[in-house]
Amino acid sequence: MSTEQPPTPAADPTPAAGSAPGVDRPLDLAGIGIGPFNLSLAALAHGVPALRTAFYEQRPAFHWHPGLLIDGATIQVPFLADLVTLADPGSPWTFLQYLTAHERLFPFYVAERFHIERAEYDAYCRWVSEQLPGLHFDHRVDAVRWDHEYELFEIDFTRLGGPADDAHAPHPTGTDEDGRALGRAYARNIVLGVGTEPYVPEPLRPLADAPNVPVLHSCDYLEHRERLLATGHVTVVGSGQSGAEVFLDLLRNRPLGAEGLHWMARTPAFAPMEYSKLGLEQFSPDYTRYFHTLPEPVRDQLLPRQWQLYKGIAHETLDAIHHELYRRALHADGWPGVVLTPGVTVRTAGRIAAARLELHLEHTEQGTRTRHTTEAVVLATGYRERRVDTLLAALDPYVRRDASERPRVDADHRMVLDPMIKGSVYVQNAERHTHGVGTPDLGLAAWRSAVILNSLLAEPAYRLPSRTAFTAFGLQPSGRCGAVIGGPHLPDQRTPLAPTRT
């Protein structure tokens, strides 16, 4: 890869004779997917004028878990964990700037709210996405290859609708059989931010995949909410925050004394999330660096034991559930029609009538089994990393993997590639096995984005703190961040660009 300074966005050099369109003016960084993490990266990259970036998303607009924007539900991190503040508080894309633009700064100040509603976080992100240049919605990336001749990544995409969305739109290459425009972009580096996808346990997959069967993932809850409220009996499966919020919303809106609800989970209890101040330091950059230095077997053993850090339920939600149950017991003069059962797994499931479902359950501690009948099931069973095998098929031979065949990821969130590939492939929210429980946490979004951007430059664009936690994780330092973020760079993965300042 060339180490020359990239052109500024205003530059438009004349292509060399015989070169492919776009090769002479490649992107420094191309993002695939526009969720909160790549939106954070795009917002911080906007403050680095020496970098040419573009981000592609197949959806027509930004939306963050629309099926779970339940009225009153809040995000589990403070509002300071927006897209940019923890790396650049002076950015024009902070949550406070959003409030200012909508003339809500003083009402927010008076409200004294540290945790904002999910709907407001979604609206804030959409506000950023609608103003930030270089975002290409309705663009589906179909394939990524490494061009050995030009030493650039070649990105093929399909424009799903509408015209090119800005003056720097990639070069068209034709149309597909449906008449949609095809295009190609070239980039020195890419970052994958394709997000996660809903996870459905194997025993329930046939029912969830069958048409007209009321078994759905919680990500689609609001779309089916009215139908669920009118259903005689509903079962919620899953003990995390989403399961608790769905259960609470159903409980509050079903008939007194005839609730017809069952909430079950594999975990031994409906447990609160670890929210002590020192516990939260495991979501700090210090802990992320420490976790990355641990041997692979230690990391794999550690992650399952930390489930309460990210799979628990907010204390406020648990309190609200208990309060609602007690209120109903008081006014109905008896126990409400609700069953809460932790410590059970669903072995098999099927239909026993046109409108009834049967789950075969096993209690982990008792070793007992039973059958459970219900009319609808909401699966709050979490998410898994979205597979990119097809998208990165051409790069697969160059990806270095660990003992479990997972991509190795360095401290700067780059996949470790064969030295033949001179560019870098960064990942966002796909490196829990190497960077720990903070990987999907919104609170580390801005820091990780700044780490990625700093690693692209000869001099850091963002000054990040050398220490972020009072806890010393381990007896030996895991590498405090200073001028260089994340410790030594792998020689074959680093491409210095122009120094810049914000």
Side-chain angles (χ1 to χ4, degrees):
M1 180 187 292
S2 170
T3 58
E4 295 178 358
Q5 294 185 7
T8 63
D12 190 12
T14 302
S19 65
V23 166
D24 294 88
R25 200 162 176 262
L27 299 164
D28 296 311
L29 182 66
I32 302 174
I34 306 178
F37 295 131
N38 263 1
L39 186 59
S40 165
L41 184 60
L44 287 174
H46 184 247
V48 187
L51 290 179
R52 295 189 70 248
T53 64
F55 292 79
Y56 306 95
E57 167 61 53
Q58 64 180 352
R59 296 175 301 174
F62 182 94
H63 285 291
W64 185 67
H65 296 303
L68 283 170
L69 299 181
I70 300 170
D71 186 33
T74 61
I75 62 174
Q76 293 176 283
V77 292
F79 74 89
L80 290 173
D82 60 15
L83 299 172
V84 294
T85 293
L86 292 177
D88 183 13
S91 167
W93 309 113
T94 66
F95 178 71
L96 293 181
Q97 292 283 6
Y98 160 77
L99 291 176
T100 302
H102 290 79
E103 298 188 354
R104 288 211 306 272
L105 187 58
F106 271 86
F108 182 77
Y109 159 71
V110 172
E112 296 184 338
R113 300 178 59 196
F114 206 48
H115 293 80
I116 63 176
E117 292 193 12
R118 287 185 179 183
E120 188 169 28
Y121 179 80
D122 176 63
Y124 153 67
C125 288
R126 282 189 282 111
W127 173 76
V128 174
S129 71
E130 290 164 1
Q131 298 185 83
L132 194 65
L135 304 185
H136 302 261
F137 289 95
D138 260 336
H139 282 62
R140 184 189 67 214
V141 174
D142 302 311
V144 177
R145 296 176 295 276
W146 177 254
D147 191 307
H148 291 278
E149 178 184 357
Y150 297 118
E151 294 191 338
L152 296 169
F153 288 105
E154 195 175 71
I155 304 161
D156 288 343
F157 68 88
T158 301
R159 189 176 302 143
L160 301 178
D165 48 5
D166 64 36
H168 301 293
H171 297 273
T173 59
T175 57
D176 65 7
E177 58 186 13
D178 296 319
R180 296 175 297 194
L182 303 176
R184 178 171 297 164
Y186 289 88
R188 295 183 173 93
N189 308 282
I190 61 174
V191 55
L192 299 176
V194 296
T196 56
E197 58 187 0
Y199 171 71
V200 176
E202 187 64 38
L204 290 153
R205 212 164 287 169
L207 291 177
D209 292 340
N212 302 318
V213 176
V215 176
L216 59 117
H217 195 274
S218 58
C219 68
D220 298 318
Y221 171 67
L222 286 184
E223 180 183 347
H224 300 275
R225 180 176 180 270
E226 295 307 315
R227 183 167 61 128
L228 290 169
L229 289 175
T231 300
H233 191 278
V234 179
T235 298
V236 179
V237 179
S239 63
Q241 183 67 19
S242 296
E245 290 173 351
V246 167
F247 175 78
L248 178 59
D249 186 62
L250 290 171
L251 178 62
R252 284 172 167 168
N253 292 280
R254 291 176 70 83
L256 186 68
E259 291 80 5
L261 289 175
H262 195 135
W263 184 21
M264 64 181 65
R266 290 186 305 168
T267 53
F270 296 106
M273 183 171 291
E274 169 58 67
Y275 213 74
S276 66
K277 301 308 179 186
L278 291 180
L280 289 178
E281 289 195 338
Q282 292 176 82
F283 294 96
S284 68
D286 279 7
Y287 184 79
T288 299
R289 288 190 292 268
Y290 160 76
F291 187 90
H292 188 268
T293 65
L294 295 175
E296 179 186 333
V298 176
R299 295 197 302 253
D300 289 346
Q301 293 171 11
L302 185 57
L303 275 173
R305 299 202 302 263
Q306 297 176 314
W307 67 271
Q308 245 178 293
L309 287 170
Y310 59 98
K311 290 185 179 180
I313 304 167
H315 288 263
E316 295 82 1
T317 308
L318 288 173
D319 289 348
I321 290 172
H322 191 274
H323 173 78
E324 182 65 19
L325 290 170
Y326 185 82
R327 186 187 71 82
R328 286 173 174 262
L330 176 66
H331 290 287
D333 196 25
W335 294 93
V338 176
V339 178
L340 286 75
T341 313
V344 298
T345 58
V346 180
R347 296 174 51 248
T348 59
R351 299 183 70 171
I352 57 173
R356 301 188 75 78
L357 306 166
E358 185 176 82
L359 309 184
H360 294 192
L361 308 178
E362 180 173 4
H363 195 279
T364 306
E365 295 174 353
Q366 288 183 329
T368 53
R369 295 181 177 181
T370 189
R371 297 180 180 183
H372 169 69
T373 303
T374 188
E375 294 176 43
V377 177
V378 181
L379 299 172
T381 46
Y383 298 80
R384 295 293 185 272
E385 295 172 8
R386 196 179 302 276
R387 297 182 66 88
V388 292
D389 302 32
T390 302
L391 180 66
L392 298 183
L395 297 178
D396 186 70
Y398 305 101
V399 177
R400 297 292 181 254
R401 300 183 180 275
D402 63 16
S404 300
E405 289 300 308
R406 298 166 301 195
R408 290 168 52 199
V409 183
D410 75 8
D412 289 333
H413 306 274
R414 286 180 290 218
M415 293 172 61
V416 179
L417 305 175
D418 187 282
M420 292 180 64
I421 307 297
K422 306 303 181 184
S424 297
V425 177
Y426 295 89
V427 291
Q428 300 229 60
N429 196 12
E431 71 276 27
R432 185 180 295 179
H433 62 291
T434 58
H435 286 70
V437 294
T439 296
D441 192 76
L442 294 175
L444 286 176
W447 174 80
R448 178 170 53 196
S449 295
V451 168
I452 292 172
L453 292 173
N454 283 353
S455 71
L456 287 169
L457 300 161
E459 293 184 9
Y462 291 99
R463 185 173 178 268
L464 298 179
S466 61
R467 185 173 180 178
T468 58
F470 290 108
T471 306
F473 301 103
L475 298 179
Q476 296 181 345
S478 54
R480 299 295 185 189
C481 72
V484 178
I485 307 304
H489 292 282
L490 297 180
D492 54 288
Q493 299 290 302
R494 178 170 171 78
T495 303
L497 297 176
T500 185
R501 296 182 182 275
T502 57

